[in-house]
Short mmCIF file of all heavy atoms in Angstrom, two decimals:
data_model
loop_
_atom_site.label_atom_id
_atom_site.label_comp_id
_atom_site.label_asym_id
_atom_site.label_seq_id
_atom_site.Cartn_x
_atom_site.Cartn_y
_atom_site.Cartn_z
N PHE T 31 139.79 -100.33 -3.34
CA PHE T 31 140.04 -101.72 -3.66
C PHE T 31 138.95 -102.52 -2.98
O PHE T 31 138.29 -102.02 -2.10
CB PHE T 31 141.45 -102.16 -3.29
CG PHE T 31 141.74 -102.12 -1.85
CD1 PHE T 31 141.54 -103.22 -1.00
CD2 PHE T 31 142.27 -100.95 -1.28
CE1 PHE T 31 141.84 -103.17 0.32
CE2 PHE T 31 142.59 -100.90 0.06
CZ PHE T 31 142.35 -101.99 0.90
N LEU T 59 106.27 -129.58 -21.80
CA LEU T 59 105.78 -130.93 -21.49
C LEU T 59 104.35 -131.13 -21.94
O LEU T 59 103.89 -132.26 -22.11
CB LEU T 59 105.96 -131.25 -20.04
CG LEU T 59 107.40 -131.32 -19.48
CD1 LEU T 59 107.41 -131.67 -18.02
CD2 LEU T 59 108.20 -132.35 -20.29
N ASP T 70 119.11 -149.20 -18.07
CA ASP T 70 120.31 -149.03 -17.22
C ASP T 70 120.66 -147.54 -17.05
O ASP T 70 120.81 -146.85 -18.03
CB ASP T 70 121.49 -149.82 -17.81
CG ASP T 70 121.22 -151.27 -17.89
OD1 ASP T 70 120.99 -151.92 -16.82
OD2 ASP T 70 121.21 -151.85 -19.02
N PRO T 109 137.58 -146.44 -8.00
CA PRO T 109 136.41 -145.68 -8.52
C PRO T 109 136.69 -144.19 -8.67
O PRO T 109 135.91 -143.48 -9.36
CB PRO T 109 135.31 -145.92 -7.48
CG PRO T 109 136.06 -146.27 -6.25
CD PRO T 109 137.31 -146.96 -6.66
N SER T 173 137.39 -146.33 -35.29
CA SER T 173 137.30 -147.24 -36.42
C SER T 173 137.79 -146.51 -37.68
O SER T 173 138.03 -145.30 -37.68
CB SER T 173 135.84 -147.66 -36.64
OG SER T 173 135.00 -146.56 -36.83
N TYR T 240 123.38 -154.82 -5.68
CA TYR T 240 123.80 -154.08 -6.88
C TYR T 240 122.83 -153.01 -7.34
O TYR T 240 123.27 -152.06 -7.98
CB TYR T 240 124.08 -155.06 -8.01
CG TYR T 240 125.26 -155.98 -7.78
CD1 TYR T 240 125.12 -157.30 -7.45
CD2 TYR T 240 126.52 -155.42 -7.87
CE1 TYR T 240 126.24 -158.10 -7.22
CE2 TYR T 240 127.67 -156.22 -7.64
CZ TYR T 240 127.50 -157.57 -7.33
OH TYR T 240 128.59 -158.35 -7.07
N ILE T 241 121.56 -153.20 -7.05
CA ILE T 241 120.56 -152.19 -7.53
C ILE T 241 120.20 -151.26 -6.39
O ILE T 241 119.88 -151.71 -5.25
CB ILE T 241 119.29 -152.87 -8.09
CG1 ILE T 241 119.64 -153.55 -9.44
CG2 ILE T 241 118.22 -151.82 -8.33
CD1 ILE T 241 118.48 -154.20 -10.12
N CYS T 242 120.26 -149.96 -6.62
CA CYS T 242 119.83 -149.00 -5.64
C CYS T 242 118.29 -148.87 -5.69
O CYS T 242 117.75 -148.42 -6.73
CB CYS T 242 120.47 -147.62 -5.90
SG CYS T 242 122.28 -147.66 -5.82
N ALA T 244 114.91 -147.51 -5.83
CA ALA T 244 114.50 -146.14 -6.10
C ALA T 244 113.01 -146.03 -6.24
O ALA T 244 112.41 -146.24 -7.30
CB ALA T 244 115.14 -145.64 -7.42
N VAL T 250 107.50 -141.46 -10.59
CA VAL T 250 107.58 -140.75 -11.89
C VAL T 250 106.67 -141.45 -12.91
O VAL T 250 105.89 -140.80 -13.61
CB VAL T 250 109.01 -140.71 -12.41
CG1 VAL T 250 109.09 -140.16 -13.83
CG2 VAL T 250 109.89 -139.83 -11.48
N VAL T 272 115.77 -157.39 -16.99
CA VAL T 272 114.94 -156.23 -16.85
C VAL T 272 113.72 -156.53 -15.99
O VAL T 272 113.37 -155.73 -15.11
CB VAL T 272 114.50 -155.69 -18.24
CG1 VAL T 272 113.49 -154.61 -18.13
CG2 VAL T 272 115.73 -155.24 -19.04
N GLN T 282 105.63 -155.75 -8.89
CA GLN T 282 105.26 -156.87 -9.67
C GLN T 282 104.47 -156.49 -10.92
O GLN T 282 104.50 -157.16 -11.93
CB GLN T 282 104.47 -157.89 -8.81
CG GLN T 282 105.24 -158.54 -7.69
CD GLN T 282 106.33 -159.47 -8.17
OE1 GLN T 282 106.13 -160.15 -9.18
NE2 GLN T 282 107.45 -159.51 -7.47
N ASP T 283 103.75 -155.38 -10.81
CA ASP T 283 102.87 -154.95 -11.89
C ASP T 283 103.51 -153.93 -12.82
O ASP T 283 102.81 -153.18 -13.51
CB ASP T 283 101.57 -154.36 -11.29
CG ASP T 283 101.84 -153.13 -10.44
OD1 ASP T 283 103.01 -152.94 -10.02
OD2 ASP T 283 100.91 -152.37 -10.17
N PHE T 288 103.57 -149.74 -18.76
CA PHE T 288 104.17 -149.51 -20.07
C PHE T 288 103.26 -150.00 -21.21
O PHE T 288 102.69 -151.10 -21.12
CB PHE T 288 105.50 -150.22 -20.14
CG PHE T 288 106.57 -149.57 -19.32
CD1 PHE T 288 106.77 -149.92 -18.00
CD2 PHE T 288 107.39 -148.59 -19.87
CE1 PHE T 288 107.76 -149.33 -17.23
CE2 PHE T 288 108.37 -147.95 -19.13
CZ PHE T 288 108.56 -148.34 -17.79
N ALA T 295 117.48 -154.53 -27.75
CA ALA T 295 117.22 -153.73 -28.95
C ALA T 295 118.46 -153.48 -29.80
O ALA T 295 118.36 -153.14 -30.97
CB ALA T 295 116.62 -152.38 -28.54
N ARG T 306 115.68 -155.83 -39.21
CA ARG T 306 115.39 -156.75 -38.16
C ARG T 306 113.94 -156.64 -37.65
O ARG T 306 113.51 -155.60 -37.17
CB ARG T 306 116.32 -156.53 -36.96
CG ARG T 306 117.81 -156.75 -37.29
CD ARG T 306 118.65 -156.56 -36.06
NE ARG T 306 118.29 -155.34 -35.31
CZ ARG T 306 118.46 -155.21 -34.00
NH1 ARG T 306 119.00 -156.15 -33.28
NH2 ARG T 306 118.08 -154.08 -33.43
N ASP T 320 105.89 -166.10 -34.24
CA ASP T 320 104.75 -165.33 -34.81
C ASP T 320 105.19 -164.02 -35.39
O ASP T 320 105.97 -163.28 -34.84
CB ASP T 320 103.70 -165.05 -33.75
CG ASP T 320 103.34 -166.28 -32.93
OD1 ASP T 320 104.25 -166.83 -32.27
OD2 ASP T 320 102.18 -166.65 -32.92
N THR T 343 103.20 -148.23 -34.11
CA THR T 343 102.66 -147.39 -33.02
C THR T 343 102.12 -146.04 -33.52
O THR T 343 101.22 -145.46 -32.92
CB THR T 343 103.71 -147.12 -31.95
OG1 THR T 343 104.80 -146.38 -32.56
CG2 THR T 343 104.19 -148.41 -31.37
N LEU T 379 125.79 -135.25 -12.32
CA LEU T 379 125.33 -133.86 -12.21
C LEU T 379 125.09 -133.48 -10.76
O LEU T 379 125.47 -132.40 -10.31
CB LEU T 379 124.11 -133.64 -13.07
CG LEU T 379 123.63 -132.24 -13.29
CD1 LEU T 379 124.67 -131.43 -14.07
CD2 LEU T 379 122.31 -132.25 -14.04
N THR T 400 138.12 -113.17 -10.87
CA THR T 400 138.70 -111.85 -10.62
C THR T 400 140.13 -111.75 -11.17
O THR T 400 140.51 -110.77 -11.82
CB THR T 400 138.70 -111.56 -9.10
OG1 THR T 400 137.41 -111.69 -8.60
CG2 THR T 400 139.23 -110.17 -8.82
N GLY T 403 140.13 -111.51 -14.87
CA GLY T 403 139.79 -110.12 -15.28
C GLY T 403 140.93 -109.15 -15.08
O GLY T 403 141.19 -108.30 -15.98
N LEU T 405 144.15 -109.87 -15.25
CA LEU T 405 145.12 -110.19 -16.26
C LEU T 405 144.71 -109.64 -17.61
O LEU T 405 145.52 -109.11 -18.39
CB LEU T 405 145.32 -111.72 -16.38
CG LEU T 405 146.19 -112.35 -15.25
CD1 LEU T 405 146.04 -113.87 -15.31
CD2 LEU T 405 147.65 -111.93 -15.39
N MET T 408 144.77 -105.59 -17.39
CA MET T 408 145.99 -104.90 -17.00
C MET T 408 147.24 -105.42 -17.70
O MET T 408 148.36 -105.18 -17.30
CB MET T 408 146.17 -105.06 -15.50
CG MET T 408 145.01 -104.43 -14.70
SD MET T 408 145.27 -104.44 -12.94
CE MET T 408 146.51 -103.17 -12.79
N THR T 501 133.41 -104.83 -14.42
CA THR T 501 132.90 -103.51 -14.85
C THR T 501 131.69 -103.07 -14.08
O THR T 501 131.18 -102.03 -14.31
CB THR T 501 132.49 -103.60 -16.34
OG1 THR T 501 131.45 -104.60 -16.50
CG2 THR T 501 133.68 -103.96 -17.21
N MET T 512 142.75 -96.59 -17.48
CA MET T 512 144.09 -96.55 -16.88
C MET T 512 144.98 -95.55 -17.62
O MET T 512 145.74 -94.79 -17.04
CB MET T 512 144.72 -97.93 -16.90
CG MET T 512 143.91 -98.94 -16.06
SD MET T 512 144.54 -100.61 -16.32
CE MET T 512 146.18 -100.41 -15.68
#
Side-chain angles (χ1 to χ4, degrees):
F31 62 92
L59 294 181
D70 297 300
S173 59
Y240 292 107
I241 291 184
C242 299
V250 171
V272 173
Q282 295 291 324
D283 61 342
F288 288 89
R306 299 182 313 154
D320 311 60
T343 62
L379 190 64
T400 303
L405 285 167
M408 301 185 72
T501 61
M512 298 171 63

